[in-house]
Amino acid sequence: MIKICIMIYIAAVVLVFYMSYRTTRQMVGPLRRLSDRMKEVENGVFNGVEVSDNGGKNEINSLALDFNVMVRHIDDLIHENYLKKILLQESELKLLQSQINPHFLYNTLESINWMAKAGRTKEISVMVRALSNLFRSTVNNKESVITVREELELLGNYISIQKIRFEERLEIYIDVDENFYEYRMPKFVLQPLVENSI
């Protein structure tokens, strides 16, 4: 009888330890997973950070469901804000690219007027062609990012106008490595730099 009681006691203790281990594991496992996902969100990782609810209806699963809803909502807000910033930057860039300095336009037209009075038709033709190329590029907003080669061509139109205006007082040297010609850049970035330096 004593042996049977001892065996029953040992079996009961083992069973109690096993049940405690299972219960603790069922509670601690989801909490640890939830804590790991929270750390990922803290580090800025929102995409795919969801905790499975295991189909239960306890407090931990309820927390996991609330956490999933919160992460999805934050991720949506971040994407929405990011898209708004991109659209704002694109519209600002297009606005800047669509503007031609009115002083430059006024001075160019004034130069054309004086050359017409002086009968310098060849220079007038070059200036009008370069000015029309600049306007065409300004009005054409299909591409806001172009190659370095195309940007240098646009800059060449501007430079040819300025060289006629300033004659021998202006000397311009363009030194660009040919390896960069196919790189892409925002349109009309170089012209304001050259304009300011002139």
Side-chain angles (χ1 to χ4, degrees):
M1 286 294 288
I2 292 173
K3 285 182 181 179
I4 291 172
C5 285
I6 290 172
M7 288 178 65
I8 290 172
Y9 177 75
I10 291 171
V13 168
V14 168
L15 185 63
V16 166
F17 274 116
Y18 175 72
M19 294 299 288
S20 298
Y21 170 75
R22 288 270 313 211
T23 306
T24 305
R25 190 170 172 204
Q26 282 180 343
M27 289 178 63
V28 172
L31 276 175
R32 187 174 290 131
R33 283 195 300 276
L34 183 61
S35 174
D36 291 343
R37 297 305 177 267
M38 286 180 173
K39 284 176 184 168
E40 288 182 35
V41 170
E42 183 183 349
N43 291 328
V45 180
F46 293 94
N47 206 3
V49 181
E50 290 202 2
V51 182
S52 58
D53 62 358
N54 299 328
K57 292 198 173 182
N58 58 34
E59 289 82 3
I60 296 171
N61 290 333
S62 178
L63 271 175
L65 285 172
D66 290 343
F67 180 74
N68 290 342
V69 170
M70 181 193 73
V71 168
R72 276 194 297 268
H73 186 62
I74 290 172
D75 194 39
D76 289 343
L77 286 173
I78 287 172
H79 278 90
E80 185 180 322
N81 191 30
Y82 179 69
L83 288 173
K84 281 182 182 175
K85 280 187 176 176
I86 288 176
L87 290 172
L88 181 65
Q89 286 176 343
E90 284 181 357
S91 62
E92 285 175 351
L93 181 62
K94 284 186 178 179
L95 180 66
L96 285 172
Q97 289 172 343
S98 67
Q99 294 175 348
I100 285 188
N101 189 330
H103 296 294
F104 164 70
L105 182 59
Y106 172 77
N107 291 334
T108 303
L109 291 174
E110 189 65 26
S111 296
I112 291 171
N113 177 43
W114 284 107
M115 280 188 270
K117 288 179 179 177
R120 295 164 59 187
T121 55
K122 189 175 180 183
E123 284 122 332
I124 292 172
S125 173
V126 171
M127 284 184 87
V128 169
R129 189 180 313 115
L131 190 60
S132 69
N133 288 339
L134 280 175
F135 266 115
R136 190 180 305 114
S137 299
T138 303
V139 172
N140 180 13
N141 281 330
K142 289 179 186 172
E143 286 193 35
S144 57
V145 178
I146 59 176
T147 63
V148 172
R149 182 189 308 275
E150 292 168 325
E151 177 72 2
L152 288 172
E153 287 171 8
L154 289 175
L155 186 61
N157 290 314
Y158 175 77
I159 289 171
S160 62
I161 292 170
Q162 296 293 39
K163 282 179 89 172
I164 293 171
R165 281 188 59 223
F166 291 104
E167 297 174 340
E168 55 289 323
R169 288 179 292 163
L170 181 65
E171 289 186 26
I172 295 180
Y173 302 95
I174 297 176
D175 182 17
V176 180
D177 191 329
E178 290 184 10
N179 294 325
F180 296 118
Y181 278 3
E182 299 310 313
Y183 281 44
R184 298 184 67 75
M185 62 184 295
K187 187 164 64 171
F188 286 120
V189 168
L190 296 179
Q191 182 186 324
L193 296 174
V194 175
E195 189 171 349
N196 286 336
S197 64
I198 292 173

